[in-house]
């Protein structure tokens, strides 16, 4: 199944054939009725085999925060799944940071460790890197929970497969745009009522730039999440608007503390 990418002026997304660890993908279809978190999401793939695909959502900060070196970093909702007997894991990441990669702060996400854009580390690794001057607190992203796409239900009992099929709804982000996307994500803050709209705009800006920066900068739309183009039908625009509104409500309900 192929889907129309509404963030790329109607271009058709190619199916995902090589979901290797370290691949960044973007939702390329409106997601309205199930798994609202994935609408206009950016997902980093951590594992992909014959049984399941495991990833984390990067652009969904919550109200929770972790303090490191006097800076509060938002804890991002990576997904609703956890590790058996351990709950939803807390994961720390840095990206495109050559000094930390050369110093081996953590471990590469990619199976090709010499060419990995994303690196996974612990909070202790991050604190040590900051202490010796290799990094700043703002160089790290904190994620809690995993997203799982189950391919073989018999091999993983109890894991309900996501109705949002990753091959049908997601397309790969070109490596050349990852640095800009990461900088936008780092600008997000712990979620609260005052900055909710700003945080969502930053998430959507990162999502759009992951697909086609030129389209966003052309001024085709006046508001994040409510863009239209000549390639979209009125029905597509309506579905996109409804999906965006549903995402906004989901974030305020599940990620924002009252």
């Amino acid at each position: 199944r192929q889907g129309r990418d509404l963030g790329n002026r109607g271009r058709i997304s190619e199916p995902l054939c090589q979901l290797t660890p370290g691949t960044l993908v973007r939702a390329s279809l409106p997601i309205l009725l199930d798994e609202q978190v994935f609408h206009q999401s950016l997902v980093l793939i951590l594992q992909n085999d014959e049984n399941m695909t495991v990833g984390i959502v990067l652009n969904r900060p919550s109200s929770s925060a972790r303090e490191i070196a006097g800076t509060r970093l938002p804890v991002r909702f990576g997904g609703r799944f956890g590790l058996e007997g351990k709950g939803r894991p807390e994961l720390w990441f840095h990206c495109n940071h050559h000094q930390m990669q050369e110093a081996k702060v953590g471990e590469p996400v990619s199976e090709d460790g010499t060419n990995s854009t994303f690196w996974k580390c612990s909070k202790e690794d991050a604190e040590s890197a900051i202490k010796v001057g290799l990094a700043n607190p703002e160089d790290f992203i904190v994620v809690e929970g995993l997203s799982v796409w189950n391919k073989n239900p018999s091999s993983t009992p109890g894991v309900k497969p996501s109705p949002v099929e990753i091959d049908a709804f997601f397309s790969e982000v070109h490596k050349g745009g990852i640095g800009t996307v990461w900088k936008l994500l780092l600008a997000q803050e712990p979620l609260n009522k005052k900055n909710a709209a700003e945080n969502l705009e930053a998430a959507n800006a990162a999502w759009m730039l992951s697909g086609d920066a030129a389209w966003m900068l052309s001024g085709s739309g006046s508001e994040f999440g409510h863009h239209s183009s000549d390639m979209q039908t009125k029905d597509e625009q309506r579905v996109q608007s409804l999906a965006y509104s549903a995402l906004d409500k989901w974030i305020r309900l599940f990620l924002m503390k009252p």
Side-chain angles (χ1 to χ4, degrees):
R1 177 181 173 183
Q2 290 182 329
R4 184 175 298 282
D5 188 335
L6 297 180
N8 283 288
R9 298 186 67 88
R11 294 193 315 219
I12 300 299
S13 301
E14 294 297 326
L16 294 171
C17 299
Q18 298 296 325
L19 278 179
T20 56
T23 302
L24 184 65
V25 298
R26 69 193 299 271
S28 53
L29 280 173
I31 298 171
L32 182 56
L33 298 177
D34 294 295
E35 305 259 28
Q36 228 28 72
V37 63
F38 291 128
H39 179 63
Q40 295 187 348
S41 65
L42 293 165
V43 175
L44 176 63
I45 302 301
L46 302 181
Q47 173 188 331
N48 187 45
D49 56 33
E50 66 276 9
N51 294 320
M52 66 174 67
T53 299
V54 180
I56 51 166
V57 182
L58 292 180
N59 58 336
R60 297 287 174 257
S62 70
S63 295
S64 299
R66 296 291 180 267
E67 186 164 328
I68 182 169
T71 300
R72 296 177 73 247
L73 300 180
V75 177
R76 297 159 190 273
F77 179 89
R80 56 188 173 90
F81 291 97
L83 301 174
E84 188 174 357
K86 297 182 180 180
R88 294 167 65 231
E90 180 176 297
L91 307 169
W92 289 61
F93 295 89
H94 57 88
C95 170
N96 269 342
H97 198 294
H98 301 300
Q99 284 182 300
M100 281 197 283
Q101 291 177 6
E102 289 176 0
K104 305 249 187 286
V105 177
E107 59 185 23
V109 175
S110 171
E111 293 172 342
D112 178 10
T114 61
N115 192 32
S116 182
T117 303
F118 297 95
W119 283 57
K120 179 177 67 174
C121 66
S122 66
K123 183 180 181 182
E124 292 72 25
D125 291 332
E127 288 173 332
S128 297
I130 293 169
K131 187 174 181 179
V132 299
L134 279 176
N136 297 312
E138 297 84 0
D139 292 324
F140 298 93
I141 273 181
V142 188
V143 183
E144 185 177 79
L146 303 168
S147 296
V148 176
W149 290 266
N150 192 11
K151 303 176 188 175
N152 184 4
S154 63
S155 67
T156 51
V159 179
K160 183 180 178 182
S162 171
V164 179
E165 300 173 16
I166 194 162
D167 281 334
F169 284 84
F170 289 81
S171 57
E172 184 173 348
V173 175
H174 191 275
K175 281 191 175 183
I178 288 177
T180 301
V181 169
W182 187 259
K183 288 179 181 178
L184 282 168
L185 295 177
L186 293 177
Q188 292 183 296
E189 300 177 344
L191 194 64
N192 58 51
K193 291 181 180 179
K194 291 183 178 180
N195 69 14
E198 182 180 345
N199 259 319
L200 188 54
E201 285 190 0
N204 292 342
W207 173 80
M208 282 186 290
L209 282 170
S210 70
D212 190 346
W215 175 77
M216 183 190 129
L217 296 174
S218 68
S220 299
S222 59
E223 184 179 351
F224 290 116
H226 294 277
H227 301 282
S228 62
S229 75
D230 294 338
M231 301 296 292
Q232 287 180 243
T233 67
K234 289 184 178 180
D235 285 343
E236 287 174 332
Q237 293 174 29
R238 188 178 300 113
V239 170
Q240 183 79 334
S241 180
L242 287 171
Y244 180 86
S245 296
L247 170 64
D248 180 74
K249 291 177 181 177
W250 184 91
I251 288 173
R252 293 175 188 274
L253 181 62
F254 292 104
L255 300 188
M256 187 185 301
K257 291 180 180 178

